[in-house]
């Protein structure tokens, strides 16, 4: 007789992006020419000075346990980055470095949520937020995405109907995955004003900071310093420095939050590998300018993707201003099609992969059915060919 599994953890959904990626790889191994628009990582390589710094650190024996929550030199360098680039003053004791922003966000859920606490998550949302909240015993409360493609993406009026006495936290993601929007300074000021008297934790995921194409990224914390005692900034090296596999992310926030997240890390992953820390330190010393040509390349690919998508009948989109995704609205196509029930982008994406060998994550994964997420961090030729196949598949609906 086998004992049962954890009820709470059994509710978790496996990451749909990882599942789609696995299926795409399987088809490629069978010899199909698969186009993978599903991965959330830049196609360029980690800067060579970062790689060399880590190799040198390995040679010098940085292979032992490091400091939980990140070594002091790295936390000092992150504090300097936040001061210089975001005009935010944090002490190293208010910063925790973890195994990717994902671990930081997971530990934040465990650290902040009590059984039944509600966390506001505006849709479309990154796939892991809801699962982290469930794992911690909380209740994700999804704020539906606005149905219009123009106009603000998140306002106090959109949030208010979902607030209850159990609301404990809100998650903000700008630039946004999967929608590619960036909240404007005016939108952030409105949100800051609204949040100023709310007793909630504000988790601001700013991991796509350097992919803000129309205006430089601004943190809500910079605009609304009065939120500081409830504000937790999350960022990382995966996207901006093309370091997804290195697994380095961090948080900056109130010292008591930093301390409990650090304690959790001492009881889970222990620390970041020391040689990885050296790579992260080197990335910070290069600075965002070092990556500027890559960001410009992504912007030109965004323009190409938008141009090609605009030629497709019945396809709408929120023209993206950040990250490297287009969230494509195919609801009109699905509504007209005899093959699909309303808004069933899940079925469309499964068929797109099976028959056209194009992998795109369906909107259902982000709490917003009827959409497909295109990651345009791929070569222009791949983008052109994949969108040609998508256009044919939509026309055949
Ligand atoms: C919005 C968002 N937050 C966090 C993460 C996690 O990043 P990391 O690689 O640092 O764990 C991702 C990765 O896809 C993301 O899209």
């Amino acid at each position: 007789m086998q004992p049962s599994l954890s009820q709470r953890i059994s509710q978790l959904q496996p990451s749909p992006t990882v599942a789609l990626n696995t299926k795409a790889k399987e088809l490629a191994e069978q010899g199909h020419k698969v186009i993978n628009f599903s991965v959330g990582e830049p196609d360029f390589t980690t800067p060579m000075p970062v790689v060399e710094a880590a190799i040198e650190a390995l040679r010098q024996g940085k292979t032992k346990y490091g400091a939980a929550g990140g070594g002091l030199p790295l936390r000092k360098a992150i504090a300097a980055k936040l001061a210089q680039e975001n005009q935010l003053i944090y002490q190293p004791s208010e910063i925790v470095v973890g195994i990717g922003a994902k671990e930081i966000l997971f530990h934040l859920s465990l650290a902040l949520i009590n059984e039944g606490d509600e966390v506001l998550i505006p849709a479309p949302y990154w796939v892991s937020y809801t699962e982290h909240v469930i794992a911690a015993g909380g209740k994700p409360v999804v704020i539906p995405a606005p149905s219009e493609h123009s106009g603000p993406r998140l306002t106090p009026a959109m949030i208010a109907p979902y607030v209850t006495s159990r609301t404990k936290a809100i998650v903000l993601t700008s630039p946004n995955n999967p929608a590619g929007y960036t909240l404007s300074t005016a939108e952030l000021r409105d949100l800051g004003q609204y949040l100023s008297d709310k007793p909630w934790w504000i988790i601001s995921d700013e991991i796509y900071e350097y992919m803000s194409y129309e205006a430089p990224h601004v943190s809500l914390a910079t605009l609304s310093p009065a939120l500081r005692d409830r504000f937790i900034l999350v960022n990382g090296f995966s996207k901006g420095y093309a370091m997804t596999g290195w697994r380095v992310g961090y948080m900056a926030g109130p010292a008591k939050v930093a301390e409990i997240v650090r304690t959790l890390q001492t009881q889970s992953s222990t620390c970041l590998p020391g040689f990885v820390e050296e790579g992260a330190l080197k990335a910070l010393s290069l600075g965002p300018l070092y990556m500027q040509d890559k960001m410009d390349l992504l912007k030109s690919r965004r323009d190409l993707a938008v141009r090609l998508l605009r030629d497709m009948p019945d396809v709408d989109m929120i023209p993206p201003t950040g990250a490297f995704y287009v969230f494509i609205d195919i609801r009109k196509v699905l509504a007209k099609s005899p093959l699909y029930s309303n808004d069933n982008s899940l079925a469309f994406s499964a068929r797109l992969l099976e028959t056209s060998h194009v992998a795109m994550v369906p909107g259902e994964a982000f709490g917003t059915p009827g959409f497909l997420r295109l990651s345009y961090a791929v070569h222009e030729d791949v983008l052109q060919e994949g969108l040609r196949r998508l256009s044919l598949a939509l026309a055949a609906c």
Side-chain angles (χ1 to χ4, degrees), residues 121-125 141-147 152-155 158-159 161-162 366-368:
I121 302 177
Y125 50 78
V141 175
V142 173
I143 301 171
S147 52
R153 308 319 303 163
L154 186 68
T155 61
M158 292 176 199
I159 299 170
Y162 298 90
F366 313 102
T368 313

Side-chain angles (χ1 to χ4, degrees), residues 17 40-41 98-105 125-129 173 175-178 205-208 234-239 243-245 247-250 324-325 373:
T17 42
E41 63 185 350
I99 312 294
K102 196 181 245 181
E103 184 195 65
I104 291 286
L105 286 159
Y125 50 78
W126 179 54
V127 294
S128 297
Y129 300 140
T173 317
N176 187 270
N177 173 13
D205 182 345
E206 302 181 22
I207 198 160
Y208 294 95
V234 176
N235 204 333
F237 294 72
S238 285
K239 317 288 175 174
M243 291 173 67
T244 45
R247 314 305 305 124
V248 201
Y250 59 89
F324 41 75
Y325 308 105
R373 187 190 73 171

Side-chain angles (χ1 to χ4, degrees), residues 257-278:
V257 177
E259 195 182 318
I260 190 170
V261 170
R262 193 174 307 117
T263 301
L264 261 171
Q265 201 186 58
T266 66
Q267 298 295 8
S268 55
S269 55
T270 305
C271 63
L272 210 65
F275 54 93
V276 168
E277 281 202 15
E278 292 300 324

Side-chain angles (χ1 to χ4, degrees), residues 33 59 77 139 151 165 195 217 225 239-240 254 306 345 385:
K33 278 195 161 296
R59 287 214 175 92
K139 182 177 163 205
S165 58
L195 293 169
H217 172 77
K239 317 288 175 174
V306 168
S345 42
E385 171 57 14

